[in-house]
């Protein structure tokens, strides 16, 4: 197997590398793990205390879920793998609050977070426009999740091209949405791939 860096476009959150000496099944598994199994943070639960805006509660909750949040994989665990056994604790959940009164446009930057490491990446993303007398107040919970469960947990756009289908070379493009760096996406994917293979080996041993 050989990996060569083709381009590192840090400002665009994008890396392009060439992977050769592997077959299509291997390259495709790596692509799927990077895109759909590497976890990132996103808002999952929203408790709306006040909402007199023109948008329904469900639409606001949906819009909040799609706001990309900076992600710290070292400090947080997946809820299902956390020591709290899925109840929700400081190791697997982050609380965020939002309170605004019209007239104004409510932006992602108006969200207050309990952990400064987990915050909206694009402050100018609009959530709702409030007219005079309208207001909104809510508390939200963000958790780590995987793109295979919902696209809001997808870490970026990941694809490969085969310049010459007779040759076993795959040109991978990893373009992060910003929650993780492209390098973190690749490193975490390889770590997950190893873990899955180890678990598989253990299962095979238990059959013997
Ligand atoms: Zn927990």
């Amino acid at each position: 197997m050989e990996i060569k860096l083709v381009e590192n476009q840090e400002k665009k959150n994008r890396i392009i590398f060439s992977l050769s000496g592997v077959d299509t099944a291997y390259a495709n598994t790596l692509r799927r793990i990077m895109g759909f199994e590497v976890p990132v943070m996103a808002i999952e639960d929203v408790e709306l205390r006040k909402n007199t805006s023109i948008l329904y509660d469900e639409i606001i909750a949906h819009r909040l879920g799609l706001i990309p949040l900076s992600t710290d994989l070292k400090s947080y665990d997946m809820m299902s793998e956390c020591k709290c056994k899925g109840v929700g604790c400081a190791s697997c959940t982050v609380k965020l609050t939002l309170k605004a009164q019209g007239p104004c446009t409510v932006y992602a930057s108006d969200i207050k977070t309990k952990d400064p490491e987990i915050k909206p990446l694009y402050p100018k993303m609009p959530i709702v426009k409030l007219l005079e007398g309208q207001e909104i107040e809510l508390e939200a919970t963000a958790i780590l999740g995987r793109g295979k469960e919902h696209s809001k947990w997808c870490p970026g756009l990941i694809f490969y091209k085969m310049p010459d289908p007779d040759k076993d070379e795959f040109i991978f493009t990893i373009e992060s949405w910003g929650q993780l760096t492209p390098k973190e996406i690749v490193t975490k994917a390889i770590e997950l791939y190893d873990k899955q293979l180890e678990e598989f080996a253990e299962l095979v041993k238990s059959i013997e």
Side-chain angles (χ1 to χ4, degrees):
M1 188 195 298
E2 197 181 351
I3 295 181
K4 275 188 214 154
L5 185 68
V6 177
E7 261 180 82
N8 186 8
Q9 303 165 334
E10 265 181 51
K11 280 187 186 161
K12 290 182 180 172
N13 258 340
R14 188 193 295 156
I15 54 168
I16 300 169
F17 65 84
S18 146
L19 177 66
S20 51
V22 298
D23 62 12
T24 309
Y26 187 95
N28 201 34
T29 304
L30 198 56
R31 179 190 70 80
R32 289 166 68 97
I33 293 177
M34 285 193 276
F36 305 108
E37 299 211 26
V38 170
V40 292
M41 276 283 178
I43 289 174
E44 170 66 349
D45 285 312
V46 180
E47 188 187 325
L48 274 138
R49 295 189 181 137
K50 274 183 201 165
N51 176 23
T52 52
S53 76
I54 195 168
L55 296 185
Y56 294 123
D57 293 0
E58 292 84 350
I59 297 175
I60 289 177
H62 183 247
R63 290 179 71 79
L64 290 167
L66 293 174
I67 293 174
L69 302 174
S70 50
T71 295
D72 175 4
L73 289 178
K74 290 194 182 78
S75 307
Y76 289 92
D77 295 316
M78 293 281 291
M79 222 174 173
S80 55
E81 294 161 15
C82 185
K83 58 183 185 302
C84 72
K85 294 181 179 153
V87 175
C89 68
S91 301
C92 63
T93 61
V94 182
K95 294 285 181 198
L96 304 111
T97 54
L98 176 61
K99 195 176 176 182
Q101 274 187 326
C104 66
T105 301
V106 184
Y107 291 102
S109 57
D110 295 315
I111 295 173
K112 304 268 182 297
T113 169
K114 287 270 159 64
D115 179 354
E117 297 299 318
I118 311 295
K119 60 175 188 230
L121 284 159
Y122 307 105
K124 280 291 167 194
M125 282 180 83
I127 298 165
V128 61
K129 194 169 182 175
L130 300 177
L131 299 178
E132 181 76 45
Q134 293 182 339
E135 58 184 318
I136 189 167
E137 188 179 337
L138 60 90
E139 186 178 287
T141 308
I143 60 169
L144 285 174
R146 296 184 170 124
K148 67 180 179 183
E149 294 160 52
H150 193 291
S151 55
K152 68 182 177 182
W153 285 304
C154 189
L157 178 67
I158 289 121
F159 61 93
Y160 64 73
K161 291 186 282 190
M162 296 174 74
D164 183 352
D166 296 337
K167 291 185 182 169
D168 59 355
E169 188 188 15
F170 303 86
I171 309 291
F172 272 85
T173 299
I174 320 291
E175 187 176 329
S176 165
W177 303 141
Q179 302 101 317
L180 300 168
T181 64
K183 197 175 170 185
E184 282 176 314
I185 295 174
V186 180
T187 312
K188 187 69 186 174
I190 292 166
E191 192 187 301
L192 290 169
Y193 204 173
D194 279 348
K195 200 175 155 205
Q196 286 177 6
L197 288 172
E198 276 166 23
E199 282 170 6
F200 182 66
E202 287 300 316
L203 280 173
V204 173
K205 267 190 213 163
S206 71
I207 294 168
E208 289 166 355

